């Protein structure tokens, strides 16, 4: 059995993507977790069920919002536990933290991998990812002693460990001084709408220009499924949805298990941000729309009729 220490970094609490990364870490070695904020009792229970015996907590306060400081904490945790692989559930912030940590650790960096493995012969960490709007599958090996990787949400299904363990929580001392020239002026947290975060949701319902700005049917289906809401750039430009809901080349990249795109043509700029989705469902009036052509399932018709009917059927099925 491998004894490779694998550090999973929880930047904002023990959420689903952290447990997915822990599941992946168990397949590659012995998982440990670094949290940049205090852990709740529920967090510790979830980590124990996931087989994490050791959790380090670097309580950096507001300084955790500076990637240079968070990167320093990751490097300190790697040294504290002797890890040779670091996994971060991907996000814009995680990529920045990963870059700082890689620099400090002199480690090779893999960004947004969908799969990770250890090479049978060399023992090197090997990561798979799609690039150039999904037209190429690439495989990269990290040749440095320590590897850092950001892992795409939904790349693996989070599963409990065969045997639960008791997680020992230890503080990790880290210098939280901001680098010279950097000051945190202020930050504002958006109120949550009670829906999952777009980039990490397992199910996403998206509305395009075909909604004509009325997203009520999209919201109804998303709420029946417990899904996140996404959109296209044209709808953002129209002011129908905020920019952080935009999926595509100049928006968020998503890889949910289920993508439902309603009133979306499936232009290449949009396709590039969702091509790694599991099952793709298109709802469109036009059977020749590119999204219909690449979909696993397509419903040809008016989204304002189809989405509420689907939501109703799902609610009846789930009895809610
Ligand atoms: C540099 C650049 C970057 C870009 N980046 C992005 C990006 O990141 N993300 C992105 O999404 N786009 C991006 N775009 C824009 C992209 O090229 C497309 O214009 C956009 O994705 C189209 O949005 P849409 O599918 O909502 O609209 P449309 O292409 O207008 O498609 C609307 C679809 O709705 C269907 N429809 C109409 N009414 C109904 C109805 N009642 N029921 C069901 N179906 C209906 C129509 O048949 C049609 O297929 C970018 C463009 C450029 C130039």
């Amino acid at each position: 059995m491998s004894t490779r220490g694998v550090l999973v970094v929880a930047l904002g609490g023990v959420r689903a993507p952290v447990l997915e990364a822990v599941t992946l870490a168990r397949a590659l070695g012995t998982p440990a977790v670094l949290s940049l904020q205090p852990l709740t009792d529920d967090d510790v229970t979830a980590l124990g069920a996931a087989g994490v015996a050791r959790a380090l907590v670097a309580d950096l306060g507001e300084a955790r919002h500076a990637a240079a400081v968070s990167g320093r904490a990751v490097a300190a945790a790697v040294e504290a536990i002797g890890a040779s692989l670091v996994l971060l559930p991907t996000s814009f912030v995680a990529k920045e933290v990963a870059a700082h940590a890689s620099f400090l650790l002199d480690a090779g960096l893999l960004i947004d991998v969908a799969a990770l493995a250890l090479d049978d012969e060399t023992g090197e960490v090997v990561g798979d990812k799609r690039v150039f709007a999904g037209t190429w599958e690439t495989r990269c090996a990290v040749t440095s002693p320590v590897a850092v990787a950001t892992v795409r949400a939904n790349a693996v299904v989070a599963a409990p460990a065969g045997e639960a363990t008791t997680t020992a929580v230890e503080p990790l001392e880290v210098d939280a001084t901001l680098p010279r020239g950097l000051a945190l002026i202020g930050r504002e947290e958006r109120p949550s709408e009670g829906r999952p975060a777009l980039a990490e949701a397992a199910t996403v319902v998206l509305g395009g220009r075909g909604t004509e700005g009325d997203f009520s049917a999209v919201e109804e289906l998303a709420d029946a499924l417990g899904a996140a809401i996404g959109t296209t750039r044209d709808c953002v430009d129209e002011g129908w949805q905020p920019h952080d809901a935009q999926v595509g080349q100049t928006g968020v990249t998503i890889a949910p298990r289920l993508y439902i795109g309603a009133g979306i043509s499936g232009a290449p700029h949009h396709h590039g941000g969702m091509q790694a989705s599991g099952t793709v469902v298109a709802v469109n009036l036009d059977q020749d729309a590119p999204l219909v052509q690449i979909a696993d399932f397509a419903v040809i018709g008016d989204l304002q009729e189809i989405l509420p009917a689907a939501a109703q059927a799902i609610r009846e099925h789930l009895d809610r």
Side-chain angles (χ1 to χ4, degrees):
M1 190 180 131
S2 170
T3 56
R4 179 183 291 265
V6 185
L7 180 73
V8 174
V9 181
L11 291 175
V14 180
R15 300 211 312 258
V18 170
L19 297 174
E20 290 167 13
V22 169
T23 305
L24 181 58
R26 283 202 311 269
L28 300 169
T30 306
V33 162
L34 167 69
S35 174
L36 298 190
Q37 62 186 54
L39 292 169
T40 64
D41 290 347
D42 286 349
D43 288 340
V44 177
T45 307
L47 292 178
V52 175
R54 199 171 173 196
L56 305 179
V57 177
D59 193 357
L60 303 172
E62 285 295 296
R64 75 177 188 278
H65 300 299
V69 175
S70 302
R72 207 184 285 150
V74 173
V78 165
E79 272 154 33
I81 67 166
S84 58
L85 173 59
V86 181
L87 304 181
L88 298 97
T90 199
S91 67
F92 289 124
V93 174
K95 287 181 226 186
E96 207 181 337
V97 173
H100 281 279
S102 301
F103 172 71
L104 293 172
L105 293 163
D106 205 11
L109 174 60
L110 297 168
I111 291 288
D112 291 359
V113 293
L116 273 179
L118 301 177
D119 186 279
D120 285 344
E121 283 171 24
T122 62
E124 289 168 352
V125 175
V126 178
D128 294 349
K129 64 181 275 189
R130 285 189 191 178
V131 296
F132 301 133
T135 51
W136 286 72
E137 297 273 358
T138 61
R139 173 164 290 183
C140 299
V142 177
T143 54
S144 53
V146 178
V148 177
T150 66
V151 182
R152 237 183 42 201
N154 300 307
V156 293
V157 179
E163 242 176 76
T165 185
T166 304
T167 308
V169 180
E170 306 162 34
L172 178 73
E173 290 304 320
V174 179
D175 174 11
T177 319
L178 294 176
R180 203 154 54 90
L182 181 69
L184 289 174
I185 311 271
R187 55 189 292 281
E188 197 180 320
E189 206 140 305
R190 283 264 183 85
S192 153
E193 286 168 354
R195 297 197 180 98
L198 175 62
E200 49 190 59
T203 305
V204 179
V205 182
L206 303 92
R209 189 181 273 284
T211 60
E212 295 178 9
D214 178 0
F215 273 70
S216 54
V218 172
E219 288 167 4
E220 188 182 350
L221 181 58
D223 290 342
L225 288 164
I229 287 181
T231 193
T232 61
R233 175 162 159 173
D234 291 26
C235 297
V236 173
D237 290 347
E238 292 283 0
W240 297 342
Q241 289 288 313
H243 178 256
D244 53 16
Q246 179 187 319
V247 169
Q249 191 174 306
T250 47
V252 182
T253 298
I254 60 171
R257 292 201 193 97
L258 174 60
Y259 165 109
I260 302 175
I264 293 178
S265 59
H269 292 112
H270 181 78
H271 182 235
M274 52 68 69
Q275 40 79 23
S277 302
T279 301
V280 174
V281 178
V283 180
N284 204 302
L285 289 172
D286 176 8
Q287 63 180 9
D288 295 324
L291 189 67
V292 172
Q293 301 301 313
I294 60 149
D296 298 288
F297 300 100
V299 185
I300 305 304
D302 185 348
L303 70 91
Q304 302 294 3
E305 291 169 14
I306 291 159
L307 299 195
Q312 172 70 16
I314 289 161
R315 280 194 300 266
E316 281 169 16
H317 180 68
L318 297 176
D319 204 16
R320 68 182 186 202

